[in-house]
Amino acid sequence: EAGVAQSPRYKIIEKRQSVAFWCNPISGHATLYWYQQILGQGPKLLIQFQNNGVVDDSQLPKDRFSAERLKGVDSTLKIQPAKLEDSAVYLCASSLNRGGYEQYFGPGTRLTVT
Amino acid sequence: AQSVSQHNHHVILSEAASLELGCNYSYGGTVNLFWYVQYPGQHLQLLLKYFSGDPLVKGIKGFEAEFIKSKFSFNLRKPSVQWSDTAEYFCAVKPNNAGNMLTFGGGTRLMVKP
């Protein structure tokens, strides 16, 4: 079974530029998550989708971050404009459904904002 | 909102030593508890989980964890570590009524010396 795919793996941008990350979850997984992991910290949930609908985006900085999962499969996370403090690894995860299902994580995208 | 504390940020052990990593959470209701591991260069993956029943749960690679409700703790243990256990370990909590939203601790980086 193929795992969660993410691209790009690394991205370096200057502050005030925009950037987008892509995630393809495990086939058949209804729930998709985006996490932000700042160096030295644990992952922090940014947004959770159930199929193509947003379940929770309470920790997403909506003035600059946006995410979509239009067809209920793959998803994109965008930052516009980026700030220095956005430097982090952005992890995508998926699970079969909500509730107690195991979350499977992708390799992450390491973003450096200079 | 719930929080998760992992008090040991860095642990260095020799092979065959015993391991115990602390995890405490703050949430008054029923929770599901998880330990995730990230080996160097690899994805986050589930090590073990507790949902209900026997508070002593066994996971992969000889790891186990004990849920002590009165102490709000879910410490990870292994009787004899190996060099291959070198990794970062994350404790995570999900309140029972929170869909599948995980709150992670800050992580503990374990180095096992051969």
Side-chain angles (χ1 to χ4, degrees), chain A residues 2-68:
Chain A
V4 176
Q6 290 187 247
S7 68
R9 294 294 310 277
Y10 305 91
K11 189 75 177 178
I12 301 173
I13 62 172
E14 295 181 352
K15 59 184 179 183
R16 291 187 289 273
Q17 286 187 323
S18 62
V19 64
F21 312 127
W22 175 82
C23 171
N24 192 25
I26 292 173
S27 177
H29 280 196
T31 315
L32 184 148
Y33 317 79
W34 283 103
Y35 289 86
Q36 179 192 57
Q37 186 176 14
I38 292 171
L39 187 65
Q41 300 180 19
K44 183 184 85 171
L45 181 69
L46 293 176
I47 187 168
Q48 178 183 0
F49 290 94
Q50 180 70 10
N51 297 310
N52 62 351
V54 175
V55 173
D56 188 284
D57 63 357
S58 57
Q59 299 194 95
L60 187 74
K62 298 181 190 61
D63 57 335
R64 298 183 301 105
F65 286 64
S66 64
E68 58 184 16

Short mmCIF file of all heavy atoms in Angstrom, two decimals, chain A residues 2-68:
data_model
loop_
_atom_site.label_atom_id
_atom_site.label_comp_id
_atom_site.label_asym_id
_atom_site.label_seq_id
_atom_site.Cartn_x
_atom_site.Cartn_y
_atom_site.Cartn_z
N ALA A 2 0.63 2.14 -0.93
CA ALA A 2 1.42 3.36 -1.00
C ALA A 2 1.08 4.23 0.20
O ALA A 2 -0.05 4.26 0.68
CB ALA A 2 1.10 4.09 -2.29
N GLY A 3 2.10 4.96 0.68
CA GLY A 3 1.90 5.82 1.82
C GLY A 3 1.41 7.19 1.41
O GLY A 3 1.04 7.44 0.27
N VAL A 4 1.43 8.11 2.36
CA VAL A 4 1.06 9.50 2.10
C VAL A 4 2.21 10.16 1.35
O VAL A 4 3.36 10.09 1.79
CB VAL A 4 0.78 10.23 3.43
CG1 VAL A 4 0.48 11.70 3.16
CG2 VAL A 4 -0.36 9.56 4.18
N ALA A 5 1.87 10.79 0.24
CA ALA A 5 2.89 11.45 -0.58
C ALA A 5 2.79 12.96 -0.38
O ALA A 5 1.69 13.52 -0.29
CB ALA A 5 2.69 11.10 -2.05
N GLN A 6 3.97 13.61 -0.31
CA GLN A 6 4.01 15.05 -0.19
C GLN A 6 5.07 15.60 -1.13
O GLN A 6 6.10 14.97 -1.36
CB GLN A 6 4.37 15.49 1.23
CG GLN A 6 3.28 15.23 2.26
CD GLN A 6 3.63 15.85 3.60
OE1 GLN A 6 3.85 15.13 4.56
NE2 GLN A 6 3.64 17.17 3.65
N SER A 7 4.80 16.79 -1.65
CA SER A 7 5.82 17.47 -2.44
C SER A 7 5.62 18.98 -2.31
O SER A 7 4.50 19.45 -2.03
CB SER A 7 5.74 17.05 -3.91
OG SER A 7 4.54 17.53 -4.50
N PRO A 8 6.69 19.76 -2.45
CA PRO A 8 8.07 19.30 -2.56
C PRO A 8 8.58 18.82 -1.21
O PRO A 8 7.89 18.96 -0.21
CB PRO A 8 8.81 20.56 -3.01
CG PRO A 8 8.04 21.67 -2.35
CD PRO A 8 6.60 21.24 -2.42
N ARG A 9 9.74 18.22 -1.16
CA ARG A 9 10.32 17.82 0.12
C ARG A 9 11.00 18.98 0.82
O ARG A 9 11.04 19.04 2.04
CB ARG A 9 11.32 16.68 -0.10
CG ARG A 9 10.70 15.38 -0.59
CD ARG A 9 9.78 14.76 0.47
NE ARG A 9 10.42 14.66 1.77
CZ ARG A 9 11.22 13.69 2.13
NH1 ARG A 9 11.49 12.71 1.30
NH2 ARG A 9 11.76 13.67 3.33
N TYR A 10 11.54 19.88 0.05
CA TYR A 10 12.23 21.05 0.60
C TYR A 10 11.84 22.29 -0.20
O TYR A 10 11.65 22.20 -1.41
CB TYR A 10 13.75 20.87 0.56
CG TYR A 10 14.24 19.62 1.23
CD1 TYR A 10 14.38 18.45 0.51
CD2 TYR A 10 14.53 19.61 2.60
CE1 TYR A 10 14.81 17.29 1.13
CE2 TYR A 10 14.97 18.46 3.22
CZ TYR A 10 15.10 17.29 2.48
OH TYR A 10 15.52 16.15 3.10
N LYS A 11 11.76 23.42 0.51
CA LYS A 11 11.46 24.67 -0.17
C LYS A 11 12.10 25.81 0.60
O LYS A 11 11.97 25.89 1.83
CB LYS A 11 9.94 24.88 -0.25
CG LYS A 11 9.50 26.02 -1.12
CD LYS A 11 9.64 25.69 -2.60
CE LYS A 11 9.12 26.82 -3.46
NZ LYS A 11 9.29 26.53 -4.91
N ILE A 12 12.80 26.66 -0.14
CA ILE A 12 13.39 27.86 0.46
C ILE A 12 12.80 29.06 -0.25
O ILE A 12 12.85 29.14 -1.49
CB ILE A 12 14.92 27.86 0.33
CG1 ILE A 12 15.52 26.64 1.01
CG2 ILE A 12 15.51 29.15 0.92
CD1 ILE A 12 17.02 26.48 0.80
N ILE A 13 12.22 29.98 0.50
CA ILE A 13 11.65 31.19 -0.09
C ILE A 13 12.04 32.38 0.76
O ILE A 13 12.49 32.24 1.90
CB ILE A 13 10.10 31.11 -0.19
CG1 ILE A 13 9.46 30.98 1.19
CG2 ILE A 13 9.68 29.98 -1.11
CD1 ILE A 13 7.96 31.09 1.18
N GLU A 14 11.84 33.56 0.18
CA GLU A 14 12.07 34.78 0.94
C GLU A 14 10.75 35.21 1.60
O GLU A 14 9.66 34.87 1.12
CB GLU A 14 12.60 35.87 0.04
CG GLU A 14 13.97 35.56 -0.53
CD GLU A 14 14.52 36.67 -1.42
OE1 GLU A 14 13.76 37.62 -1.70
OE2 GLU A 14 15.69 36.58 -1.82
N LYS A 15 10.90 35.96 2.69
CA LYS A 15 9.68 36.43 3.36
C LYS A 15 8.87 37.29 2.39
O LYS A 15 9.41 37.93 1.50
CB LYS A 15 10.01 37.21 4.63
CG LYS A 15 10.88 38.42 4.43
CD LYS A 15 11.23 39.05 5.79
CE LYS A 15 12.13 40.26 5.57
NZ LYS A 15 12.57 40.85 6.86
N ARG A 16 7.57 37.22 2.58
CA ARG A 16 6.57 37.90 1.76
C ARG A 16 6.27 37.17 0.44
O ARG A 16 5.33 37.56 -0.25
CB ARG A 16 6.92 39.37 1.48
CG ARG A 16 6.85 40.25 2.73
CD ARG A 16 7.04 41.71 2.40
NE ARG A 16 8.41 41.99 2.03
CZ ARG A 16 9.37 42.29 2.90
NH1 ARG A 16 9.10 42.31 4.18
NH2 ARG A 16 10.60 42.56 2.49
N GLN A 17 7.04 36.13 0.14
CA GLN A 17 6.69 35.33 -1.03
C GLN A 17 5.58 34.35 -0.66
O GLN A 17 5.24 34.16 0.51
CB GLN A 17 7.92 34.56 -1.53
CG GLN A 17 8.92 35.43 -2.25
CD GLN A 17 10.05 34.62 -2.89
OE1 GLN A 17 10.51 33.63 -2.33
NE2 GLN A 17 10.49 35.05 -4.06
N SER A 18 5.02 33.69 -1.66
CA SER A 18 4.00 32.68 -1.42
C SER A 18 4.55 31.30 -1.74
O SER A 18 5.53 31.16 -2.48
CB SER A 18 2.75 32.95 -2.28
OG SER A 18 3.10 32.89 -3.64
N VAL A 19 3.93 30.28 -1.15
CA VAL A 19 4.39 28.91 -1.34
C VAL A 19 3.18 27.98 -1.21
O VAL A 19 2.20 28.30 -0.52
CB VAL A 19 5.48 28.55 -0.31
CG1 VAL A 19 4.93 28.58 1.11
CG2 VAL A 19 6.13 27.22 -0.62
N ALA A 20 3.25 26.84 -1.89
CA ALA A 20 2.17 25.86 -1.82
C ALA A 20 2.75 24.47 -1.64
O ALA A 20 3.80 24.15 -2.23
CB ALA A 20 1.31 25.91 -3.07
N PHE A 21 2.08 23.69 -0.85
CA PHE A 21 2.48 22.32 -0.59
C PHE A 21 1.35 21.40 -1.04
O PHE A 21 0.18 21.74 -0.92
CB PHE A 21 2.74 22.08 0.90
CG PHE A 21 3.59 23.12 1.56
CD1 PHE A 21 3.15 23.76 2.71
CD2 PHE A 21 4.82 23.46 1.04
CE1 PHE A 21 3.93 24.72 3.33
CE2 PHE A 21 5.61 24.42 1.65
CZ PHE A 21 5.16 25.04 2.80
N TRP A 22 1.74 20.22 -1.51
CA TRP A 22 0.76 19.26 -2.01
C TRP A 22 0.82 17.98 -1.23
O TRP A 22 1.90 17.55 -0.80
CB TRP A 22 1.04 19.02 -3.50
CG TRP A 22 0.20 17.96 -4.12
CD1 TRP A 22 -1.08 18.09 -4.60
CD2 TRP A 22 0.56 16.60 -4.35
NE1 TRP A 22 -1.52 16.90 -5.12
CE2 TRP A 22 -0.53 15.97 -4.97
CE3 TRP A 22 1.71 15.85 -4.09
CZ2 TRP A 22 -0.51 14.63 -5.34
CZ3 TRP A 22 1.74 14.52 -4.45
CH2 TRP A 22 0.62 13.92 -5.07
N CYS A 23 -0.33 17.35 -1.03
CA CYS A 23 -0.41 16.09 -0.31
C CYS A 23 -1.38 15.15 -1.00
O CYS A 23 -2.50 15.55 -1.35
CB CYS A 23 -0.88 16.34 1.13
SG CYS A 23 -1.26 14.82 2.05
N ASN A 24 -0.96 13.91 -1.18
CA ASN A 24 -1.85 12.87 -1.69
C ASN A 24 -1.97 11.80 -0.61
O ASN A 24 -1.00 11.12 -0.30
CB ASN A 24 -1.32 12.27 -2.99
CG ASN A 24 -2.35 11.40 -3.68
OD1 ASN A 24 -3.54 11.58 -3.48
ND2 ASN A 24 -1.90 10.47 -4.48
N PRO A 25 -3.15 11.65 -0.01
CA PRO A 25 -3.29 10.70 1.10
C PRO A 25 -3.32 9.26 0.61
O PRO A 25 -3.35 8.99 -0.58
CB PRO A 25 -4.63 11.10 1.71
CG PRO A 25 -5.42 11.60 0.54
CD PRO A 25 -4.42 12.31 -0.35
N ILE A 26 -3.36 8.35 1.55
CA ILE A 26 -3.52 6.93 1.23
C ILE A 26 -4.90 6.74 0.60
O ILE A 26 -5.89 7.32 1.07
CB ILE A 26 -3.36 6.07 2.49
CG1 ILE A 26 -1.90 6.14 2.97
CG2 ILE A 26 -3.77 4.63 2.23
CD1 ILE A 26 -1.64 5.47 4.29
N SER A 27 -4.94 5.94 -0.45
CA SER A 27 -6.18 5.72 -1.18
C SER A 27 -7.29 5.22 -0.26
O SER A 27 -7.09 4.30 0.54
CB SER A 27 -5.94 4.68 -2.29
OG SER A 27 -7.14 4.40 -2.98
N GLY A 28 -8.45 5.87 -0.34
CA GLY A 28 -9.59 5.45 0.47
C GLY A 28 -9.69 6.13 1.82
O GLY A 28 -10.69 5.95 2.53
N HIS A 29 -8.68 6.91 2.18
CA HIS A 29 -8.73 7.60 3.46
C HIS A 29 -9.58 8.86 3.35
O HIS A 29 -9.29 9.74 2.54
CB HIS A 29 -7.30 7.95 3.93
CG HIS A 29 -6.60 6.80 4.56
ND1 HIS A 29 -5.46 6.94 5.32
CD2 HIS A 29 -6.88 5.48 4.55
CE1 HIS A 29 -5.08 5.75 5.76
NE2 HIS A 29 -5.91 4.85 5.30
N ALA A 30 -10.60 8.93 4.20
CA ALA A 30 -11.54 10.04 4.13
C ALA A 30 -11.03 11.28 4.85
O ALA A 30 -11.41 12.40 4.51
CB ALA A 30 -12.88 9.62 4.73
N THR A 31 -10.18 11.08 5.84
CA THR A 31 -9.76 12.21 6.68
C THR A 31 -8.32 12.58 6.39
O THR A 31 -7.45 11.72 6.30
CB THR A 31 -9.93 11.85 8.17
OG1 THR A 31 -11.20 11.22 8.37
CG2 THR A 31 -9.86 13.09 9.03
N LEU A 32 -8.09 13.87 6.23
CA LEU A 32 -6.76 14.38 5.91
C LEU A 32 -6.42 15.52 6.86
O LEU A 32 -7.28 16.34 7.20
CB LEU A 32 -6.71 14.86 4.45
CG LEU A 32 -5.38 15.34 3.88
CD1 LEU A 32 -5.29 15.02 2.39
CD2 LEU A 32 -5.14 16.80 4.12
N TYR A 33 -5.17 15.55 7.28
CA TYR A 33 -4.72 16.54 8.27
C TYR A 33 -3.48 17.24 7.75
O TYR A 33 -2.60 16.61 7.14
CB TYR A 33 -4.34 15.85 9.59
CG TYR A 33 -5.29 14.78 10.06
CD1 TYR A 33 -5.26 13.51 9.51
CD2 TYR A 33 -6.21 15.03 11.07
CE1 TYR A 33 -6.12 12.51 9.93
CE2 TYR A 33 -7.07 14.04 11.51
CZ TYR A 33 -7.02 12.79 10.94
OH TYR A 33 -7.87 11.79 11.37
N TRP A 34 -3.34 18.50 8.09
CA TRP A 34 -2.09 19.24 7.91
C TRP A 34 -1.58 19.67 9.29
O TRP A 34 -2.34 20.24 10.08
CB TRP A 34 -2.30 20.49 7.06
CG TRP A 34 -2.41 20.24 5.59
CD1 TRP A 34 -3.54 20.23 4.83
CD2 TRP A 34 -1.33 20.01 4.67
NE1 TRP A 34 -3.25 19.98 3.51
CE2 TRP A 34 -1.90 19.86 3.39
CE3 TRP A 34 0.06 19.92 4.81
CZ2 TRP A 34 -1.12 19.62 2.24
CZ3 TRP A 34 0.82 19.68 3.68
CH2 TRP A 34 0.24 19.53 2.41
N TYR A 35 -0.30 19.37 9.54
CA TYR A 35 0.35 19.75 10.77
C TYR A 35 1.54 20.66 10.45
O TYR A 35 2.18 20.53 9.41
CB TYR A 35 0.90 18.53 11.51
CG TYR A 35 -0.13 17.61 12.13
CD1 TYR A 35 -0.73 16.60 11.38
CD2 TYR A 35 -0.47 17.72 13.47
CE1 TYR A 35 -1.66 15.74 11.95
CE2 TYR A 35 -1.40 16.86 14.06
CZ TYR A 35 -1.98 15.87 13.29
OH TYR A 35 -2.89 15.02 13.86
N GLN A 36 1.85 21.52 11.42
CA GLN A 36 3.07 22.32 11.36
C GLN A 36 3.99 21.86 12.49
O GLN A 36 3.55 21.78 13.65
CB GLN A 36 2.74 23.81 11.53
CG GLN A 36 3.96 24.72 11.51
CD GLN A 36 3.60 26.13 11.98
OE1 GLN A 36 3.11 26.32 13.08
NE2 GLN A 36 3.84 27.11 11.12
N GLN A 37 5.23 21.53 12.16
CA GLN A 37 6.18 21.13 13.19
C GLN A 37 7.38 22.07 13.16
O GLN A 37 8.24 21.97 12.28
CB GLN A 37 6.63 19.68 12.99
CG GLN A 37 7.51 19.18 14.14
CD GLN A 37 7.88 17.72 14.01
OE1 GLN A 37 7.71 17.12 12.96
NE2 GLN A 37 8.35 17.14 15.09
N ILE A 38 7.42 22.95 14.12
CA ILE A 38 8.55 23.87 14.27
C ILE A 38 9.69 23.11 14.94
O ILE A 38 9.45 22.25 15.79
CB ILE A 38 8.12 25.11 15.08
CG1 ILE A 38 7.12 25.92 14.24
CG2 ILE A 38 9.32 25.96 15.47
CD1 ILE A 38 6.47 27.05 14.98
N LEU A 39 10.90 23.45 14.58
CA LEU A 39 12.09 22.75 15.10
C LEU A 39 12.06 22.70 16.62
O LEU A 39 11.89 23.71 17.28
CB LEU A 39 13.35 23.46 14.61
CG LEU A 39 14.67 22.77 14.93
CD1 LEU A 39 14.77 21.43 14.19
CD2 LEU A 39 15.85 23.67 14.55
N GLY A 40 12.21 21.47 17.16
CA GLY A 40 12.25 21.31 18.61
C GLY A 40 10.89 21.16 19.26
O GLY A 40 10.80 21.06 20.48
N GLN A 41 9.83 21.16 18.45
CA GLN A 41 8.48 21.03 18.99
C GLN A 41 7.77 19.84 18.36
O GLN A 41 8.21 19.29 17.35
CB GLN A 41 7.68 22.31 18.74
CG GLN A 41 8.28 23.55 19.37
CD GLN A 41 7.45 24.79 19.09
OE1 GLN A 41 6.26 24.70 18.74
NE2 GLN A 41 8.05 25.96 19.25
N GLY A 42 6.66 19.45 18.96
CA GLY A 42 5.84 18.41 18.37
C GLY A 42 4.95 18.98 17.28
O GLY A 42 4.77 20.20 17.18
N PRO A 43 4.38 18.13 16.45
CA PRO A 43 3.47 18.61 15.40
C PRO A 43 2.25 19.30 16.00
O PRO A 43 1.72 18.86 17.02
CB PRO A 43 3.07 17.32 14.67
CG PRO A 43 4.13 16.33 14.98
CD PRO A 43 4.59 16.67 16.36
N LYS A 44 1.82 20.37 15.33
CA LYS A 44 0.62 21.09 15.74
C LYS A 44 -0.39 21.03 14.59
O LYS A 44 -0.07 21.41 13.46
CB LYS A 44 0.94 22.54 16.08
CG LYS A 44 -0.27 23.33 16.57
CD LYS A 44 0.07 24.80 16.82
CE LYS A 44 -0.02 25.60 15.56
NZ LYS A 44 0.11 27.05 15.79
N LEU A 45 -1.61 20.58 14.90
CA LEU A 45 -2.62 20.46 13.86
C LEU A 45 -3.03 21.84 13.36
O LEU A 45 -3.34 22.74 14.14
CB LEU A 45 -3.85 19.74 14.41
CG LEU A 45 -4.98 19.52 13.42
CD1 LEU A 45 -4.58 18.51 12.36
CD2 LEU A 45 -6.25 19.06 14.13
N LEU A 46 -3.02 22.00 12.04
CA LEU A 46 -3.48 23.24 11.43
C LEU A 46 -4.92 23.12 10.94
O LEU A 46 -5.75 24.00 11.16
CB LEU A 46 -2.59 23.62 10.24
CG LEU A 46 -1.15 24.02 10.56
CD1 LEU A 46 -0.38 24.26 9.27
CD2 LEU A 46 -1.11 25.27 11.43
N ILE A 47 -5.20 22.02 10.24
CA ILE A 47 -6.52 21.87 9.65
C ILE A 47 -6.81 20.40 9.44
O ILE A 47 -5.90 19.61 9.19
CB ILE A 47 -6.64 22.66 8.33
CG1 ILE A 47 -8.06 22.66 7.78
CG2 ILE A 47 -5.65 22.13 7.28
CD1 ILE A 47 -8.29 23.66 6.65
N GLN A 48 -8.08 20.03 9.57
CA GLN A 48 -8.52 18.66 9.37
C GLN A 48 -9.68 18.67 8.38
O GLN A 48 -10.63 19.43 8.53
CB GLN A 48 -8.98 18.05 10.70
CG GLN A 48 -9.50 16.63 10.59
CD GLN A 48 -10.02 16.09 11.91
OE1 GLN A 48 -10.00 16.77 12.92
NE2 GLN A 48 -10.48 14.86 11.91
N PHE A 49 -9.59 17.83 7.34
CA PHE A 49 -10.65 17.66 6.35
C PHE A 49 -11.32 16.30 6.53
O PHE A 49 -10.66 15.30 6.83
CB PHE A 49 -10.07 17.68 4.93
CG PHE A 49 -9.56 19.02 4.47
CD1 PHE A 49 -8.22 19.35 4.61
CD2 PHE A 49 -10.41 19.93 3.87
CE1 PHE A 49 -7.74 20.57 4.17
CE2 PHE A 49 -9.94 21.15 3.42
CZ PHE A 49 -8.60 21.47 3.58
N GLN A 50 -12.59 16.27 6.32
CA GLN A 50 -13.33 15.02 6.19
C GLN A 50 -13.90 15.04 4.78
O GLN A 50 -14.78 15.85 4.46
CB GLN A 50 -14.45 14.92 7.23
CG GLN A 50 -15.26 13.65 7.16
CD GLN A 50 -14.51 12.42 7.59
OE1 GLN A 50 -13.40 12.52 8.14
NE2 GLN A 50 -15.07 11.26 7.38
N ASN A 51 -13.39 14.14 3.94
CA ASN A 51 -13.66 14.20 2.50
C ASN A 51 -13.28 15.60 2.00
O ASN A 51 -12.15 16.01 2.18
CB ASN A 51 -15.10 13.80 2.21
CG ASN A 51 -15.36 12.36 2.61
OD1 ASN A 51 -14.60 11.46 2.23
ND2 ASN A 51 -16.39 12.13 3.41
N ASN A 52 -14.18 16.37 1.40
CA ASN A 52 -13.77 17.69 0.92
C ASN A 52 -14.23 18.82 1.83
O ASN A 52 -14.12 20.00 1.46
CB ASN A 52 -14.27 17.90 -0.51
CG ASN A 52 -15.79 17.85 -0.59
OD1 ASN A 52 -16.45 17.50 0.39
ND2 ASN A 52 -16.34 18.21 -1.73
N GLY A 53 -14.70 18.48 3.03
CA GLY A 53 -15.15 19.51 3.96
C GLY A 53 -14.19 19.71 5.12
O GLY A 53 -13.52 18.78 5.54
N VAL A 54 -14.12 20.94 5.61
CA VAL A 54 -13.26 21.27 6.74
C VAL A 54 -13.95 20.89 8.05
O VAL A 54 -15.09 21.30 8.30
CB VAL A 54 -12.92 22.78 6.76
CG1 VAL A 54 -12.12 23.13 8.02
CG2 VAL A 54 -12.13 23.15 5.51
N VAL A 55 -13.26 20.07 8.86
CA VAL A 55 -13.79 19.68 10.16
C VAL A 55 -13.35 20.68 11.23
O VAL A 55 -14.15 21.09 12.07
CB VAL A 55 -13.32 18.26 10.54
CG1 VAL A 55 -13.74 17.93 11.97
CG2 VAL A 55 -13.84 17.24 9.56
N ASP A 56 -12.07 21.03 11.18
CA ASP A 56 -11.54 21.96 12.17
C ASP A 56 -10.39 22.73 11.57
O ASP A 56 -9.48 22.13 11.02
CB ASP A 56 -11.08 21.22 13.42
CG ASP A 56 -10.69 22.17 14.55
OD1 ASP A 56 -9.61 22.75 14.48
OD2 ASP A 56 -11.50 22.32 15.49
N ASP A 57 -10.44 24.03 11.64
CA ASP A 57 -9.31 24.88 11.19
C ASP A 57 -9.04 25.96 12.22
O ASP A 57 -8.57 27.05 11.89
CB ASP A 57 -9.59 25.47 9.81
CG ASP A 57 -10.81 26.40 9.79
OD1 ASP A 57 -11.47 26.52 10.86
OD2 ASP A 57 -11.11 26.97 8.73
N SER A 58 -9.33 25.65 13.48
CA SER A 58 -9.23 26.65 14.53
C SER A 58 -7.79 27.12 14.77
O SER A 58 -7.58 28.21 15.29
CB SER A 58 -9.81 26.10 15.84
OG SER A 58 -9.16 24.90 16.22
N GLN A 59 -6.79 26.31 14.40
CA GLN A 59 -5.41 26.72 14.62
C GLN A 59 -4.73 27.14 13.32
O GLN A 59 -3.50 27.30 13.31
CB GLN A 59 -4.64 25.58 15.30
CG GLN A 59 -5.20 25.22 16.67
CD GLN A 59 -4.27 24.35 17.47
OE1 GLN A 59 -3.50 24.85 18.28
NE2 GLN A 59 -4.33 23.05 17.27
N LEU A 60 -5.48 27.35 12.29
CA LEU A 60 -4.92 27.80 11.02
C LEU A 60 -4.90 29.33 11.00
O LEU A 60 -5.95 29.96 11.16
CB LEU A 60 -5.77 27.27 9.86
CG LEU A 60 -5.24 27.49 8.46
CD1 LEU A 60 -4.07 26.55 8.18
CD2 LEU A 60 -6.34 27.29 7.42
N PRO A 61 -3.73 29.93 10.79
CA PRO A 61 -3.68 31.41 10.69
C PRO A 61 -4.29 31.86 9.37
O PRO A 61 -3.61 31.98 8.35
CB PRO A 61 -2.17 31.72 10.75
CG PRO A 61 -1.51 30.45 11.20
CD PRO A 61 -2.39 29.33 10.73
N LYS A 62 -5.56 32.15 9.41
CA LYS A 62 -6.32 32.31 8.16
C LYS A 62 -5.99 33.58 7.39
O LYS A 62 -6.37 33.71 6.23
CB LYS A 62 -7.82 32.25 8.47
CG LYS A 62 -8.27 30.91 9.06
CD LYS A 62 -9.75 30.90 9.32
CE LYS A 62 -10.15 29.70 10.12
NZ LYS A 62 -9.53 29.63 11.46
N ASP A 63 -5.24 34.50 8.06
CA ASP A 63 -4.87 35.70 7.33
C ASP A 63 -3.81 35.40 6.27
O ASP A 63 -3.65 36.16 5.31
CB ASP A 63 -4.37 36.78 8.29
CG ASP A 63 -3.20 36.31 9.13
OD1 ASP A 63 -3.07 35.08 9.35
OD2 ASP A 63 -2.41 37.17 9.58
N ARG A 64 -3.10 34.30 6.44
CA ARG A 64 -2.03 33.99 5.48
C ARG A 64 -2.03 32.56 4.99
O ARG A 64 -1.43 32.24 3.98
CB ARG A 64 -0.67 34.30 6.12
CG ARG A 64 -0.50 35.76 6.49
CD ARG A 64 0.89 36.05 7.05
NE ARG A 64 1.16 35.27 8.25
CZ ARG A 64 1.97 34.22 8.30
NH1 ARG A 64 2.57 33.84 7.20
NH2 ARG A 64 2.18 33.59 9.42
N PHE A 65 -2.66 31.67 5.74
CA PHE A 65 -2.70 30.25 5.37
C PHE A 65 -4.06 29.90 4.79
O PHE A 65 -5.09 30.37 5.28
CB PHE A 65 -2.46 29.36 6.60
CG PHE A 65 -1.04 29.33 7.10
CD1 PHE A 65 -0.42 30.46 7.60
CD2 PHE A 65 -0.33 28.14 7.09
CE1 PHE A 65 0.88 30.42 8.07
CE2 PHE A 65 0.97 28.07 7.57
CZ PHE A 65 1.57 29.22 8.07
N SER A 66 -4.05 29.06 3.77
CA SER A 66 -5.30 28.51 3.24
C SER A 66 -5.05 27.08 2.81
O SER A 66 -3.92 26.69 2.51
CB SER A 66 -5.80 29.34 2.06
OG SER A 66 -4.88 29.27 0.98
N ALA A 67 -6.11 26.30 2.82
CA ALA A 67 -5.98 24.89 2.41
C ALA A 67 -7.27 24.47 1.74
O ALA A 67 -8.34 24.99 2.04
CB ALA A 67 -5.69 24.00 3.61
N GLU A 68 -7.12 23.54 0.81
CA GLU A 68 -8.31 23.01 0.15
C GLU A 68 -8.13 21.54 -0.19
O GLU A 68 -7.00 21.05 -0.31
CB GLU A 68 -8.62 23.81 -1.12
CG GLU A 68 -7.52 23.83 -2.15
CD GLU A 68 -7.86 24.72 -3.34
OE1 GLU A 68 -8.79 25.54 -3.25
OE2 GLU A 68 -7.18 24.59 -4.37
#
